[in-house]
Amino acid sequence: GKKSKKLFWVPAIAPLISVILSTFFVYIFHAEKKGVQIVKHIEKGINPPSVTEIYFTGDYLLKGVRIGIVAGIIALTEAVAIGRTFAAMKDYQIDGNKEMVALGAMNVAGSMTSCYVATGSFSRSAVNYMAGCKTAASNIVMSVVVFLTLQFITPLFEYTPNAILSSIIISAVIGLIDYDAAILIWKIDKFDFIACTGAFFGVVFASVEIGLLIAVSISFAKLLLQVTRPRTAILGKIPRTNVYRNIQQYPEASKVPGVVIVRVDSAIYFSNSNYIKERILRWLTAEEEQLQAAGLPNIQFLIIEMSPVTDIDTSGIHALEELMKSLQKRDVELVLANPGPVVIDKIHASKLASLIGEDKIFLTVADAVQTCSPKFSQDV
């Protein structure tokens, strides 16, 4: 069916043919007596109405609400995740709000007909996808077929082996595994690859819910790590320009004599303020040790490039104050370059600007260097 469009009907009818043949052979040879697990007896007919059995009072109300909230969150997360997977394959958009409304309406209606909590099924969606279904009309057809099956022919499925049902799902899901995407994720971000493999093995060996929980937990740990351990970099001047960039990214960039320029690539909050302060001091210590070993003059200015710092809180302000006190003991002056509007407003509101000195806050790193090391600014 994949090789020839004329044979598209082969994979479409393959699951049904597999069920019919396997059920027939199990019935003929009585394979259930030789260890083959079968579906066994299925109740005929549809579920009875249950509107009269819904209660909004009683001892189990609060417990039901708690279970409902948890089940709803998991169901919505699973449905949106599955929907986005197939949306990416078919290049269409998923509206999470509409998904939530649809799931809610479906479960409200289902609760009146003895249904359990339902969500978007990964296995059924995979089978639908591999069978070539393209629109929601396939669900209508499937619902009608299931209804007729439950009403009239459930006894025929008593001997259907569980293995054939599993094989239909497995064969459909295997086609959804994208090896190239996994390799690309490994090349781009190792942490994302760990989340990907965690979700994969969680789904394979446990359930979709466990796989999602593993992936979300790993992603949340990555987010916390990025927030609490933001990147910092030493900047140098690109030759024949007034541009200052990371010296590790641009080896040709030259350091400013007597000046250390550090860029902080994150907002400064209580969760990372102490780390940023200690990291800056470590940069300064390393530079001083290199200068002493080379017999060069000591550091006189520390310039912090703050353009990536989108926000700062009280802990961040205190961290800058403590940093300034540590620098004063080393006879090093603190200079700030290009703080954003939110940051500069908070710096003025906290009186940190007057503590540092209004003349130590500059529009750009180049302006700061021109004031702190005018000879270098002119020569390079």
Side-chain angles (χ1 to χ4, degrees):
K2 292 181 179 179
K3 294 179 180 179
S4 175
K5 292 183 178 180
K6 294 181 180 180
L7 299 176
F8 73 93
W9 52 270
V10 174
I13 67 170
L16 182 61
I17 298 299
S18 301
V19 169
I20 293 173
L21 290 178
S22 62
T23 304
F24 175 74
F25 285 121
V26 168
Y27 177 75
I28 293 296
F29 298 105
H30 294 286
E32 78 280 1
K33 297 180 180 179
K34 300 179 181 179
V36 176
Q37 295 184 2
I38 59 175
V39 173
K40 297 181 181 179
H41 179 66
I42 302 175
E43 289 290 339
K44 189 176 180 180
I46 61 174
N47 294 335
S50 56
V51 179
T52 57
E53 298 180 24
I54 299 176
Y55 300 98
F56 295 98
T57 58
D59 299 335
Y60 297 103
L61 177 63
L62 185 60
K63 185 179 292 186
V65 170
R66 289 201 300 264
I67 294 173
I69 291 173
V70 174
I73 292 173
I74 294 175
L76 178 63
T77 305
E78 181 180 351
V80 171
I82 294 168
R84 285 178 177 172
T85 300
F86 290 98
M89 296 178 180
K90 292 293 188 179
D91 193 25
Y92 60 85
Q93 301 298 318
I94 287 291
D95 188 334
N97 186 58
K98 290 182 179 179
E99 291 291 320
M100 182 168 64
V101 172
L103 286 172
M106 177 178 66
N107 282 294
V108 168
S111 66
M112 300 177 184
T113 56
S114 304
C115 290
Y116 60 86
V117 177
T119 181
S121 170
F122 184 70
S123 56
R124 292 178 71 90
S125 299
V127 172
N128 254 20
Y129 175 80
M130 296 304 293
C133 299
K134 297 184 181 298
T135 69
S138 62
N139 293 326
I140 299 175
V141 174
M142 181 174 60
S143 299
V144 173
V145 172
V146 169
F147 172 77
L148 295 176
T149 301
L150 290 173
Q151 284 291 89
F152 303 109
I153 60 175
T154 50
L156 299 179
F157 292 97
E158 181 175 344
Y159 290 94
T160 300
N162 293 338
I164 201 66
L165 301 179
S166 301
S167 68
I168 293 171
I169 296 173
I170 291 171
S171 63
V173 171
I174 285 177
L176 300 177
I177 299 176
D178 193 340
Y179 301 100
D180 294 333
I183 294 172
L184 181 62
I185 292 173
W186 169 261
K187 292 179 179 178
I188 295 175
D189 193 318
K190 304 299 187 291
F191 226 118
D192 284 347
F193 181 79
I194 294 173
C196 174
T197 53
F200 174 78
F201 288 112
V203 171
V204 170
F205 294 106
S207 65
V208 174
E209 290 81 0
I210 297 299
L212 285 172
L213 181 62
I214 293 173
V216 170
S217 300
I218 295 174
S219 300
F220 189 65
K222 175 188 175 183
L223 181 63
L224 286 178
L225 189 62
Q226 291 177 339
V227 171
T228 57
R229 295 292 186 270
R231 291 187 176 90
T232 58
I234 293 289
L235 305 185
K237 185 177 183 180
I238 303 297
R240 297 177 297 279
T241 70
N242 283 326
V243 178
Y244 290 80
R245 291 292 183 266
N246 186 350
I247 59 175
Q248 293 182 347
Q249 184 178 1
Y250 298 90
E252 70 274 14
S254 55
K255 297 180 182 178
V256 182
V259 178
V260 172
I261 308 171
V262 180
R263 186 183 68 212
V264 179
D265 295 335
S266 169
I268 305 177
Y269 293 128
F270 72 95
S271 58
N272 61 18
S273 57
N274 192 56
Y275 171 81
I276 291 174
K277 181 195 72 173
E278 293 178 353
R279 185 61 182 157
I280 292 174
L281 289 175
R282 284 199 296 269
W283 280 122
L284 181 63
T285 302
E287 290 295 317
E288 287 178 338
E289 290 176 352
Q290 290 179 8
L291 292 176
Q292 289 177 2
L296 298 175
N298 292 331
I299 300 297
Q300 296 177 334
F301 296 93
L302 171 67
I303 301 175
I304 301 179
E305 157 68 308
M306 301 190 71
S307 55
V309 180
T310 56
D311 198 4
I312 189 170
D313 65 0
T314 306
S315 298
I317 296 293
H318 290 327
L320 290 180
E321 292 175 352
E322 294 174 4
L323 176 63
M324 190 181 65
K325 292 176 182 178
S326 299
L327 294 176
Q328 287 174 348
K329 296 177 182 178
R330 303 186 183 199
D331 294 326
V332 177
E333 295 187 43
L334 176 62
V335 179
L336 303 182
N338 195 23
V342 175
V343 175
I344 196 65
D345 288 344
K346 293 185 178 181
I347 287 176
H348 280 103
S350 64
K351 309 300 181 183
L352 180 61
S354 58
L355 192 63
I356 295 174
E358 295 286 352
D359 59 335
K360 296 294 189 299
I361 302 176
F362 295 90
L363 180 62
T364 65
V365 174
D367 293 340
V369 171
Q370 189 173 9
T371 301
C372 301
S373 183
K375 187 175 184 301
F376 175 85
S377 179
Q378 294 171 2
D379 294 344
V380 179

